[in-house]
Amino acid sequence: MQYQVRVDDGESSVVVESLRDLGQAVDCYVLQILAMTEADVEIQLVQLIGEDDEYVPITSHTFV
């Protein structure tokens, strides 16, 4: 399976990293949360499904 950690500022979503291992994806997600210093940003962990960049959100954290 393929997972992505994304940072979304409301205008665009940037893929921080794509990983095949869920444990590594969770580690990356947590590191992004700990490193975030900006407001109005959402960190997302998603699982890719299909070949058309469709995804299922696993979890997200929003900084306000």
Side-chain angles (χ1 to χ4, degrees):
M1 292 188 189
Q2 185 78 18
Y3 303 95
Q4 288 183 342
V5 176
R6 299 176 177 189
V7 176
D8 188 331
D9 66 2
E11 294 180 17
S12 63
S13 181
V14 176
V15 176
V16 174
E17 191 147 358
S18 292
L19 303 142
R20 290 198 175 276
D21 181 74
L22 178 58
Q24 291 177 343
V26 170
D27 287 346
C28 180
Y29 171 76
V30 171
L31 288 173
Q32 291 300 310
I33 290 172
L34 294 174
M36 188 53 56
T37 59
E38 299 176 37
D40 298 323
V41 175
E42 180 180 22
I43 308 293
Q44 305 170 337
L45 174 57
V46 302
Q47 178 182 348
L48 296 178
I49 57 172
E51 296 180 15
D52 297 327
D53 287 338
E54 295 178 62
Y55 65 90
V56 175
I58 295 174
T59 189
S60 67
H61 186 85
T62 304
F63 294 86
V64 290

